[in-house]
């Protein structure tokens, strides 16, 4: 059928040529000469019919000038030959008839050409109108994302091709071409899906998005490195637990702190949960939060973990955090709370089984364990033994994972001792992938991958373990920079600690006569400017994608807080261009916070 439709025009053209041939040759005055007849009474005067038929043909193939031209040229040539050669009427009449036919067909040809142009103009107008509409949507979509990886860029191009073809298809009337275009759309969609699932660690296009040179330098120094991740097939999880299905009031009878019990209920529920209160009242943060969560999720009973072993392991985790301004045990506990907040206030909780929950808790609590208070870049540049040990690849994050398992191997510390082999392997995979994802050098790569799957392709399936880990890893990344989306008073407190840790690194770099890293010089750094840049360039795109994926008020409100914090720093930056007072004020505000400390993630 499609074949017939495709060749219908050619069949029509052939038909027109045959009919015109008949009309010209079988005309009475031609035929009488050809057959040597004396009378024309037995034949028809066909010139008028020939002209009428050619006019009808113009309407049948109105949009194909070339085919109509073929019919007309053939017909006129044949008409002239037969009429001038064989017609039995006088020469004057012959010439008049030929001129009339030529003028009329010429007029038909011009009309056909004009109609053809008109239909093309209508097509292109319709096409370009729809193109403008879709361009508006594309521009809007583009504005929402400040950074894009090559993967996202390719997906965006595929999306654009799809939209262009769709619009072209709307403006086309031929079904066979429409079918071809439909096939092209499904091909492009297949390519888009392959790109989105391809885990391409393509470089990030930063130059077009960050105008500020210092911010660009800061991103180049801290947020770009070699990618490194693991892949593998693990069995699908089948059993799930209901989060927060235990009464928390009975969780800490030994502490004898009624007030603490009610405060701890805020873990994973109250976004502005104050970890410092827990630290100040108990002298512990990781230990308390860890105990609370293990009890909440009934993990001790589920994995047959004895009280002593859990106590020892959590205490070891806490003691292996160093007393940095920012990357200390409090940061670990706070990030754990942030992660729980994301898990429990979204659909993620429905997809977590006990071993996956256990892996999340270990990852959150220990994600910065042993952090030396300097960046991986500093360790690599100073040829630190840690950088040598981990081959310059995600140095800090590899170290955090290694410490988690070194502690598990210590006598009386192995909380995973009774865990079945498959679960143990799955738990390790989740912990490693989640913690390695917190390497800020892979920030844009992971953000790009998450955004491609969660916001562009919208095909994340939490029943699949790799997709689930991508979501959990992104959740831990959001939790890790969670202070940027906290209420302003909490955010300011954490920001002061981050800057102090940066400045300590700057002091170290100065003492070693190394170039001071961007925003690490306590004399020249403009804190509001650096914070505004960090929040806009790093935090906002991540939280924006996270909020779009979940579309839940609990997450959207964190994005709103983040935007308020950006406004706060912008205002501060505008109010005091002089850098020195900002640093002095900030350092003074840190005097009473010395026991805590830190860096951004
Ligand atoms: Zn961290």
């Amino acid at each position: 059928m499609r074949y017939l439709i495709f060749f219908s025009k050619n069949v029509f053209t052939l038909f027109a040529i045959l009919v015109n041939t008949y009309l010209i040759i079988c005309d009475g005055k031609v035929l009488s000469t050809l057959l040597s007849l004396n009378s024309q009474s037995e034949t028809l005067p066909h010139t008028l019919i020939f002209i009428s038929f050619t006019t009808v043909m113009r309407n049948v193939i109105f949009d194909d000038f070339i085919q109509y031209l073929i019919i007309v040229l053939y017909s006129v040539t044949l008409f002239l030959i037969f009429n001038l050669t064989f017609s039995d009427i006088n020469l004057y009449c012959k010439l008049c008839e030929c001129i009339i036919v030529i003028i009329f067909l010429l007029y038909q040809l011009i009309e056909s050409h004009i109609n053809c142009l008109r239909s093309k103009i209508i097509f292109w107008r319709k096409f370009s109108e729809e193109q403008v509409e879709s361009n508006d949507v594309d521009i809007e979509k583009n504005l929402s994302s400040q950074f894009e990886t090559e993967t996202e860029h390719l997906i965006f191009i595929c999306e654009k091709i799809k939209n262009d073809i769709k619009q072209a298809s709307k403006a086309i009337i031929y079904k066979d071409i429409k079918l071809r275009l439909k096939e092209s759309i499904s091909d492009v969609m297949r390519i888009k899906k392959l790109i989105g699932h391809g885990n391409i660690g393509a470089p990030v296009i930063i130059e077009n998005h960050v105008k500020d040179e210092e911010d660009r330098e800061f991103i180049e120094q801290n947020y770009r490195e070699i990618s490194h991740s693991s892949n593998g097939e693990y069995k699908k999880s089948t059993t799930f637990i209901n989060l927060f299905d235990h009464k928390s009031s009975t969780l800490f009878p030994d502490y004898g702190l009624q007030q603490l019990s009610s405060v701890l209920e805020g873990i994973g529920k109250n976004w502005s949960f104050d970890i410092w209160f827990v630290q100040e009242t108990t002298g512990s943060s990781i230990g308390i939060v860890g105990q609370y969560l293990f009890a909440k999720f009934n993990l001790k009973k589920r994995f047959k973990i004895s009280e002593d072993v859990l106590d020892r392991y959590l205490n070891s985790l806490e003691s292996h955090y160093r007393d940095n301004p920012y990357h200390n045990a409090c940061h670990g506990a706070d990030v754990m709370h942030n992660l729980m907040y994301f898990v429990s206030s979204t659909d993620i909780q429905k997809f977590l089984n006990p071993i996956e929950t256990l892996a999340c808790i270990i990852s959150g609590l220990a994600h910065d364990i042993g952090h030396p208070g300097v960046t991986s870049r500093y360790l690599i540049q100073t040829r630190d033994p840690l950088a040598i040990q981990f081959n310059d690849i995600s140095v800090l994050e590899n170290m955090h994972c290694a410490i988690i398992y070194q502690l598990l191997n210590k006598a009386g510390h192995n909380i995973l001792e009774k865990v079945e082999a498959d679960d143990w392997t799955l738990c390790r995979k989740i912990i490693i992938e989640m913690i390695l994802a917190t390497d800020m050098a892979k920030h844009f790569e992971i953000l790009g991958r998450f955004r491609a799957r969660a916001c562009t392709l919208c095909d994340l399936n939490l029943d699949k373990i790799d997709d689930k880990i991508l979501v959990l890893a992104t959740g831990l990344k959001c939790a890790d920079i969670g202070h940027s989306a906290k209420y302003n008073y909490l955010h300011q407190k954490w920001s002061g600690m981050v800057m102090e840790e940066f400045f300590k690194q700057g002091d170290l770099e100065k003492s070693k006569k190394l170039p001071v890293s961007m925003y690490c010089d306590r004399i020249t750094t403009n804190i509001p400017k650096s914070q505004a840049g960090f929040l806009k360039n790093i935090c906002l795109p991540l939280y924006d994608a996270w909020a779009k994926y979940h579309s839940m008020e609990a997450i959207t409100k964190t994005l709103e807080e983040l935007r308020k914090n950006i406004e706060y720093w912008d205002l501060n930056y505008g109010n005091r261009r002089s850098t020195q007072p900002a640093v002095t004020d900030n350092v003074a505000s840190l005097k009473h916070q010395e026991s805590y400390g830190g860096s951004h993630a």
Side-chain angles (χ1 to χ4, degrees), residues 321 326-328 331-332 335 364 367-369 371 400 438 476 479-481 599-601:
Y321 268 94
Y326 179 83
H327 285 110
N328 49 39
H331 167 68
V335 169
H367 82 280
D368 270 333
I369 194 166
H371 198 297
H400 304 321
T438 62
L476 182 58
D480 205 10
I481 53 173
S599 139
H600 277 304

Side-chain angles (χ1 to χ4, degrees), residues 156-274:
F156 173 73
I157 291 170
C158 288
E159 192 64 27
K160 196 169 174 302
I161 294 170
K162 184 193 87 178
N163 289 337
D164 286 350
I165 297 175
K166 262 188 177 175
Q167 282 142 32
S169 182
K170 278 181 196 168
I172 284 170
I173 55 165
Y174 302 112
K175 282 188 177 174
D176 53 333
I177 301 175
K178 273 177 178 284
L179 269 172
R180 289 268 178 107
L181 293 178
K182 207 175 170 185
E183 284 170 12
S184 302
I185 289 174
S186 64
D187 286 345
V188 171
M189 288 300 94
R190 204 158 47 234
I191 293 167
K192 186 175 121 176
K193 199 173 175 185
L194 285 173
I195 293 168
H197 288 247
N199 297 342
I200 303 166
V204 181
I205 306 159
I206 284 179
E207 288 72 14
N208 300 336
H209 300 286
V210 183
K211 305 284 179 238
D212 188 281
E213 274 186 29
E214 289 183 346
D215 282 349
R216 203 155 60 221
E217 179 74 23
F218 177 71
I219 291 167
E220 289 287 346
Q221 285 180 0
N222 295 286
Y223 298 90
R224 304 186 83 166
E225 209 194 45
I226 307 157
S227 69
H228 183 73
S229 66
S230 61
N231 277 310
E233 289 300 320
Y234 289 85
K235 71 169 188 179
K236 187 180 161 184
S237 52
T238 50
T239 56
F240 304 97
I241 57 173
N242 186 10
L243 298 190
F244 302 115
D245 55 353
H246 299 270
K247 295 284 177 201
S248 64
S249 56
T250 57
L251 292 174
F252 291 95
D254 298 343
Y255 288 92
L257 292 169
Q258 283 303 317
Q259 195 188 358
L260 182 62
S261 290
S262 61
V263 169
L264 290 179
E265 281 184 29
I267 296 175
K269 280 185 182 173
N270 176 12
W271 181 238
S272 59
F273 173 77
D274 190 351

Side-chain angles (χ1 to χ4, degrees), residues 269-281:
K269 280 185 182 173
N270 176 12
W271 181 238
S272 59
F273 173 77
D274 190 351
I275 190 65
W276 289 297
F277 174 79
V278 177
Q279 173 74 37
E280 282 160 11
T281 48

Side-chain angles (χ1 to χ4, degrees), residues 237-391:
S237 52
T238 50
T239 56
F240 304 97
I241 57 173
N242 186 10
L243 298 190
F244 302 115
D245 55 353
H246 299 270
K247 295 284 177 201
S248 64
S249 56
T250 57
L251 292 174
F252 291 95
D254 298 343
Y255 288 92
L257 292 169
Q258 283 303 317
Q259 195 188 358
L260 182 62
S261 290
S262 61
V263 169
L264 290 179
E265 281 184 29
I267 296 175
K269 280 185 182 173
N270 176 12
W271 181 238
S272 59
F273 173 77
D274 190 351
I275 190 65
W276 289 297
F277 174 79
V278 177
Q279 173 74 37
E280 282 160 11
T281 48
T282 65
S284 165
S285 54
I286 293 280
I288 296 288
V289 173
Q291 287 284 1
Y292 176 81
L293 293 173
F294 270 80
K296 269 282 186 196
F297 301 131
N298 207 18
L299 296 175
K300 279 189 286 187
K301 193 176 170 192
R302 173 68 180 76
F303 296 108
K304 301 183 182 75
I305 305 166
S306 77
E307 201 77 50
D308 290 351
V309 171
L310 183 63
D311 277 349
R312 267 196 293 273
Y313 188 69
L314 291 176
N315 287 338
S316 287
L317 285 187
E318 184 142 16
S319 64
H320 275 75
Y321 268 94
R322 298 199 200 174
D323 192 20
N324 297 314
Y326 179 83
H327 285 110
N328 49 39
C330 261
H331 167 68
D334 190 52
V335 169
M336 180 72 254
H337 150 67
N338 296 343
L339 180 63
M340 270 304 133
Y341 176 85
F342 292 141
V343 168
S344 60
S345 59
T346 64
D347 289 341
I348 300 172
Q349 60 172 314
K350 295 177 195 163
F351 294 88
L352 289 186
N353 66 15
I355 193 66
E356 289 159 354
T357 307
L358 179 65
C360 280
I361 293 172
I362 296 174
S363 306
L365 290 173
H367 82 280
D368 270 333
I369 194 166
H371 198 297
V374 290
T375 59
S376 283
R377 184 172 174 271
Y378 175 87
L379 295 174
I380 293 165
Q381 283 191 333
T382 55
R383 301 173 193 177
D384 189 276
L386 277 176
I388 303 296
Q389 185 182 350
F390 295 109
N391 306 313

Side-chain angles (χ1 to χ4, degrees), residues 437-480:
T438 62
D439 179 2
M440 277 304 188
K442 293 193 295 185
H443 174 77
F444 291 109
E445 182 202 328
I446 292 166
L447 170 62
R449 202 178 340 143
F450 177 75
R451 220 163 35 191
R453 295 292 313 282
C455 305
T456 311
L457 295 175
C458 300
D459 68 347
L460 276 174
N461 180 358
L462 292 183
D463 280 326
K464 290 181 180 171
I465 188 65
D466 285 335
D467 285 7
K468 197 183 318 192
I469 292 175
L470 177 61
V471 172
L472 289 173
T474 311
L476 182 58
K477 278 179 66 59
C478 289
D480 205 10

